[in-house]
Amino acid sequence: MKSNFKRATLLLSGLMVGGKLFAQTPDSTATGTDYVKPFSGGNQLRTWSVGVHGGMLTPYTIFGTNGKQDFKNPTEQLGYGAYIKDQILPSLGIQADFLRGKVKSNNSQPDVNGNPVFTQYTTNINWSAALSANITLANINWRHDKPFIQPYLTVGAGTMNYTPKVTYADGQEVNFKTGDKASINEIFIPVGVGLKFDIAPGVNLDLGYSVNFVQSDNFDGYNYGTTNDRFSYAHIGLEFALGSRKKPQMATHNPVSSMRKEYMWENQQTKTLLQQQIDAEKARNEQLRNDLNTTNASLAKLTTDSDGDGVVDVNDKCPNTPSGTKVDGSGCPLAKPVIYVTEEDKKVVKDAIKNLEFDLGKSTIRAHSLPSLDRVAQLLIDKNFSLKLAGHTDNTGSKDLNMRLSKDRAESIKSYLVSKGANASRIEATGYGQNQPIASNKTAAGRQANRRVEFTLY
């Protein structure tokens, strides 16, 4: 543990010294200017950056129950890595990550007899490569010209090559994987959070924490339980922006500040000119208003439509047309077309009545009745006919039940015709129950005849 702490201290000191050297490098943005002309394009900003970091690797994570992992006592080991990032949007970057290091833990979970199987495991991460999305959460600041802290989230996917070794209770250390190659290639999912501090133009101090979900239970060399292995990495590092030092870094650039400067500069330069333009516009508007009043007075007689039929009075040969009446170009009512019901139309309706059947005691139309109803719907659409539906029943059951059933069946037919495109406003559905029989209800044939829906086309 002391050795790990010493190495981590040396790593931190090296990173801070490197960051100080970069901070002392001359830069045109060192004056505090973070101005970029608004909407001038991403080529005015630095989008590429590289980062280096070091920190501690441990099986302990903030997710799940760590006491139920394959090994009970995690230890901290040194890890290090680097990345290259392309900031494609102010709040979104795509970065390629590299990581190496060692993960270690002691005291494995016991076997079925309650005895520990291994005293420890050590897994060397030979290399790992991942592609991640880096989401910056606060790079816009309304209080200061440039944000100092940028919280971020990362999530991605990658592959790693690692070599797990386990130590038995007798001290024997063996590779988990035997054969020519003791290493394993595996997919993993890194998820992380962190903070970046703007310590110099183009240089950020990076403090982060990530949990890496390995897509197997081989990472610690012990297949125990049903969950996959995972490990975490807490790091400190430096990020260096690439490109011209005259350009701000997109991830730390505050467009609100640039917009404010642009507004203040343009406002100062154009205030007098704008006032002159306003005065000139006022004079022109006043003249236009006078001209418009004169023109309106002359046009009032030519634009009046007293009866509201869309034809002005000077051209209206039929004044005082009732509201809503369709008129021709002279303002006179259009003749209504005469609708004729042909024998062929009557046959379409007759076939629909003949084929119409419902489920017993219900308003559900049976399937074999639908094709003839489809033809009725098309007839209503093509010729814009109106249709009255009258539902009737026999005298079986109560009057209230029969009245409701006859109404429901008529409404069911109307709903079906409307679903096929017919105009609902031209279909009337009425139920008469058992009140209008056309045959005697004393016979089965008479009752069958009385159970009907009449179609009246007009």
Side-chain angles (χ1 to χ4, degrees):
M1 180 65 183
K2 291 182 178 180
S3 175
N4 289 335
F5 181 76
K6 183 177 180 181
R7 284 185 288 176
T9 303
L10 291 174
L11 176 63
L12 175 60
S13 300
L15 290 171
M16 295 302 294
V17 170
K20 187 174 181 181
L21 291 174
F22 272 89
Q24 293 175 348
T25 303
D27 193 325
S28 61
T29 61
T31 60
T33 300
D34 191 43
Y35 172 77
V36 172
K37 186 175 179 61
F39 312 111
S40 58
N43 58 355
Q44 300 300 314
L45 298 164
R46 284 191 278 180
T47 60
W48 286 92
S49 61
V50 295
V52 293
H53 50 75
M56 291 298 176
L57 289 163
T58 174
Y60 182 86
T61 70
I62 62 174
F63 298 105
T65 304
N66 289 279
K68 294 184 179 181
Q69 292 193 47
D70 298 354
F71 287 78
K72 300 178 181 179
N73 301 116
T75 61
E76 295 78 22
Q77 301 294 318
L78 189 63
Y80 60 93
Y83 63 85
I84 181 168
K85 183 181 71 169
D86 181 16
Q87 195 76 25
I88 60 177
L89 295 172
S91 297
L92 175 63
I94 302 298
Q95 68 182 44
D97 295 287
F98 174 80
L99 178 66
R100 289 195 66 181
K102 182 184 295 185
V103 181
K104 185 177 181 181
S105 187
N106 302 321
N107 191 14
S108 71
Q109 296 285 354
D111 57 17
V112 294
N113 298 318
N115 300 315
V117 180
F118 304 109
T119 58
Q120 70 175 26
Y121 86 88
T122 302
T123 296
N124 289 320
I125 302 175
N126 304 317
W127 57 265
S128 73
L131 191 65
S132 301
N134 185 294
I135 303 170
T136 305
L137 301 179
N139 59 346
I140 294 179
N141 196 310
W142 293 92
R143 299 182 61 187
H144 304 286
D145 283 346
K146 190 175 181 181
F148 175 64
I149 301 176
Q150 297 90 45
Y152 67 86
L153 302 173
T154 60
V155 60
T159 182
M160 67 167 63
N161 179 274
Y162 60 90
T163 305
K165 294 183 180 181
V166 292
T167 303
Y168 287 90
D170 60 4
Q172 180 185 7
E173 184 180 57
V174 298
N175 288 327
F176 169 71
K177 184 178 180 182
T178 59
D180 296 336
K181 291 185 178 180
S183 63
I184 300 173
N185 288 316
E186 201 72 69
I187 300 295
F188 74 104
I189 306 296
V191 178
V193 297
L195 294 172
K196 289 184 181 178
F197 299 86
D198 184 20
I199 60 176
V203 182
N204 301 313
L205 178 66
D206 182 10
L207 301 178
Y209 174 81
S210 63
V211 177
N212 301 275
F213 298 89
V214 184
Q215 301 302 292
S216 74
D217 196 19
N218 301 324
F219 185 77
D220 56 13
Y222 184 27
N223 295 124
Y224 178 86
T226 59
T227 58
N228 292 337
D229 293 326
R230 58 184 182 270
F231 65 92
S232 63
Y233 176 52
H235 71 266
I236 182 172
L238 291 174
E239 180 184 37
F240 306 100
L242 303 178
S244 173
R245 298 179 183 274
K246 296 180 180 180
K247 298 179 180 180
Q249 187 179 358
M250 180 182 285
T252 61
H253 172 63
N254 183 15
V256 173
S257 176
S258 292
M259 294 179 70
R260 177 178 178 274
K261 288 184 175 67
E262 185 76 9
Y263 169 77
M264 294 180 65
W265 291 342
E266 292 185 358
N267 185 61
Q268 185 68 27
Q269 294 171 358
T270 62
K271 185 176 180 179
T272 302
L273 179 60
L274 182 59
Q275 186 61 50
Q276 293 174 351
Q277 293 175 345
I278 291 174
D279 293 340
E281 285 296 328
K282 285 182 177 179
R284 284 196 292 269
N285 288 342
E286 186 64 28
Q287 182 61 44
L288 287 174
R289 186 178 294 107
N290 294 334
D291 294 342
L292 183 61
N293 291 337
T294 302
T295 303
N296 287 339
S298 301
L299 293 177
K301 298 178 181 180
L302 301 177
T303 58
T304 303
D305 180 14
S306 301
D307 56 7
D309 60 0
V311 180
V312 295
D313 290 352
V314 294
N315 297 326
D316 197 342
K317 296 181 180 180
C318 299
N320 303 319
T321 304
S323 177
T325 303
K326 293 184 178 181
V327 298
D328 58 19
S330 299
C332 295
L334 294 171
K336 295 183 178 179
V338 180
I339 301 176
Y340 297 99
V341 180
T342 66
E343 291 300 322
E344 185 178 352
D345 299 335
K346 295 178 181 179
K347 185 178 183 305
V348 172
V349 174
K350 184 177 180 180
D351 289 342
I353 297 173
K354 179 180 178 182
N355 295 323
L356 182 62
E357 288 189 15
F358 296 90
D359 288 344
L360 184 62
K362 298 181 180 179
S363 61
T364 306
I365 306 171
R366 292 186 174 176
H368 71 82
S369 303
L370 300 181
S372 57
L373 288 177
D374 292 341
R375 290 190 288 274
V376 173
Q378 192 61 46
L379 181 62
L380 297 178
I381 295 170
D382 293 342
K383 294 194 173 183
N384 201 26
F385 282 143
S386 296
L387 180 67
K388 180 176 180 180
L389 300 169
H392 301 274
T393 66
D394 59 22
N395 64 349
T396 304
S398 67
K399 288 185 178 181
D400 291 341
L401 177 61
N402 287 330
M403 181 63 71
R404 185 167 59 253
L405 179 60
S406 65
K407 175 66 173 176
D408 290 346
R409 286 180 171 178
E411 289 289 351
S412 178
I413 296 172
K414 177 180 178 179
S415 297
Y416 181 78
L417 295 175
V418 171
S419 73
K420 292 298 181 177
N423 187 344
S425 65
R426 288 187 171 273
I427 302 175
E428 176 186 356
T430 308
Y432 294 96
Q434 64 188 47
N435 296 330
Q436 296 182 7
I438 59 175
S440 173
N441 281 312
K442 295 181 180 181
T443 65
R447 289 191 296 273
Q448 175 67 31
N450 289 332
R451 297 191 294 271
R452 69 198 188 278
V453 177
E454 295 176 346
F455 290 53
T456 303
L457 192 65
Y458 61 96

